[in-house]
Amino acid sequence: MVFSLPGSLYNTFSRRRLLLYTATFLVIVAAGLILRNIRMNEDIAPLLPDDNSEAAQDFALLQKAPFADKVLISLHAQESDNQMLIKATDDLTQNLGKPYFTDVTSGPAITSFDFFPQWLTHVLPNTFTPKDQANLDNVLNREEVRKRLQSSLQQLSSQEGIMLKPLIQADPLDLTSLMYGKLARTNMVPGMLLYRNHFMSSDGKNTLIIAKTPVKITDSKDSKDMIEELQRKISQFVPAGITASTMSAHGYTLANAESVKLDLVLILTCSSVAIFLLIMYFLRSWKGILVFLVPSSVLCLATAGVLLVYDSVSAVTIAFG
């Protein structure tokens, strides 16, 4: 019964062409109305391997990389005007927010350095190395210990002794000084300094803003929206005389997506024209247009059917279709 239904429908509608064309037209129009509210999802994550393969593991590690969810914004002043540059940096930092940015900073999250000496004392055991052991052998002898204790006593007797008392009690031999040489290697960006708690270049002409974003690097559409929003904020809050440049993995995602889209437009246009010309050449009738429209109509109907079940549809899936 089920298998004979298509044949019965064909026999019925083949004698009633007007009814067939009208019903087909109404179905396609209904599908077109559904497609008006289509929401395209351009995240390629569902197409990536999700098994335990090496490729899947590599991509999972890539998504956990520190740069994967960061956007770096560099402001450059033509003149060395620290006040104007700092103001532009603060204005842009304060106005970058949700939904595209969740954590924006233009300097280290440190409001006071008063705790820093105590912190060095506490982390000293965690950073102790065999080389430090060799240096410590030169410190822990009678003469050097006496010398350091006398220095600590003089500091306690000075005007600032009350402030230094907790530090001297925790480290009377000043072993924390072993950490000072290691701090020289903590600056990962050569030429950068802190000015009024801002990341700034040594010439005073550049500042750095680091923004965290929830946008995935696999989503080209949200990446485009995020970058466009960032450019609007830059044009709104960065004055003339200061230029802004950005760098993020999302920029590469967007560039690759735009390149693919241009290739698809070229390929689909050329192939559609070629197929249409072949159909018209061999059929030599206007009815060949109907043959050409069949795949387009099927894609339209299939996409509308997907939207009746899901909130969005993958743009990559439609491209394959």
Side-chain angles (χ1 to χ4, degrees):
M1 180 64 181
V2 176
F3 295 102
S4 62
L5 182 60
S8 301
L9 291 175
Y10 176 78
N11 293 330
T12 300
F13 285 108
S14 63
R15 296 188 295 269
R16 298 174 178 83
R17 296 294 181 89
L18 181 60
L19 178 60
L20 174 62
Y21 293 153
T22 303
T24 303
F25 177 76
L26 292 176
V27 171
I28 295 177
V29 170
L33 294 176
I34 296 175
L35 292 179
R36 288 191 309 170
N37 299 323
I38 187 173
R39 187 164 63 89
M40 305 289 285
N41 180 7
E42 298 186 12
D43 192 348
I44 65 170
L47 301 178
L48 299 172
D50 57 356
D51 51 11
N52 293 325
S53 63
E54 184 176 352
Q57 294 176 2
D58 290 343
F59 191 80
L61 291 175
L62 178 63
Q63 290 182 306
K64 295 179 181 180
F67 61 82
D69 61 347
K70 300 293 191 302
V71 180
L72 304 182
I73 309 162
S74 176
L75 299 185
H76 174 72
Q78 303 297 331
E79 303 292 337
S80 183
D81 189 347
N82 291 345
Q83 300 301 324
M84 183 176 67
L85 184 58
I86 291 296
K87 184 179 184 306
T89 303
D90 290 339
D91 290 343
L92 184 58
T93 301
Q94 294 169 5
N95 287 278
L96 291 179
K98 296 181 178 179
Y100 296 112
F101 304 100
T102 56
D103 187 13
V104 185
T105 179
S106 57
I110 299 176
T111 56
S112 175
F113 287 92
D114 295 339
F115 75 97
F116 196 64
Q118 293 92 333
W119 178 81
L120 288 178
T121 302
H122 288 302
V123 300
L124 178 60
N126 298 330
T127 62
F128 203 75
T129 64
K131 184 178 180 180
D132 294 331
Q133 177 67 45
N135 295 331
L136 194 61
D137 292 339
N138 298 326
V139 173
L140 298 180
N141 57 70
R142 183 183 299 271
E143 295 299 326
E144 186 66 22
V145 168
R146 181 184 298 275
K147 179 180 178 182
R148 294 195 175 214
L149 289 178
Q150 288 178 345
S151 176
S152 297
L153 179 61
Q154 292 176 357
Q155 289 178 330
L156 287 174
S157 303
S158 63
Q159 295 180 352
E160 64 271 15
I162 297 178
M163 302 295 295
L164 296 176
K165 183 177 179 180
L167 295 177
I168 296 176
Q169 285 179 331
D171 184 20
L173 297 180
D174 192 24
L175 299 180
T176 308
S177 59
L178 296 173
M179 292 284 296
Y180 296 155
K182 301 177 183 180
L183 293 177
R185 297 188 291 271
T186 59
N187 186 2
M188 304 302 294
V189 183
M192 187 194 74
L193 54 84
L194 289 179
Y195 176 77
R196 293 170 55 183
N197 206 32
H198 289 73
F199 298 124
M200 180 175 285
S201 60
S202 57
D203 59 3
K205 293 184 178 182
N206 301 274
T207 56
L208 178 65
I209 300 175
I210 304 174
K212 184 176 181 180
T213 175
V215 177
K216 299 179 181 178
I217 60 175
T218 56
D219 194 334
S220 59
K221 183 178 183 300
D222 284 351
S223 295
K224 180 179 180 181
D225 294 339
M226 183 267 290
I227 292 176
E228 289 179 348
E229 174 67 12
L230 176 59
Q231 294 300 327
R232 282 194 295 268
K233 294 296 185 180
I234 289 175
S235 61
Q236 183 178 357
F237 295 102
V238 176
I242 297 179
T243 58
S245 58
T246 63
M247 183 178 68
S248 68
H250 306 82
Y252 293 98
T253 299
L254 178 59
N256 291 332
E258 294 296 331
S259 178
V260 171
K261 288 179 181 179
L262 290 176
D263 293 340
L264 285 175
V265 169
L266 177 61
I267 293 173
L268 293 177
T269 301
C270 295
S271 60
S272 299
V273 172
I275 293 174
F276 177 77
L277 293 177
L278 288 173
I279 290 176
M280 296 303 296
Y281 177 78
F282 285 102
L283 296 181
R284 299 180 183 276
S285 172
W286 65 269
K287 295 181 180 180
I289 299 177
L290 300 179
V291 178
F292 180 75
L293 293 178
V294 167
S296 302
S297 302
V298 170
L299 181 61
C300 179
L301 294 173
T303 305
V306 171
L307 289 178
L308 293 176
V309 181
Y310 300 98
D311 295 333
S312 62
V313 62
S314 172
V316 181
T317 302
I318 294 180
F320 281 130

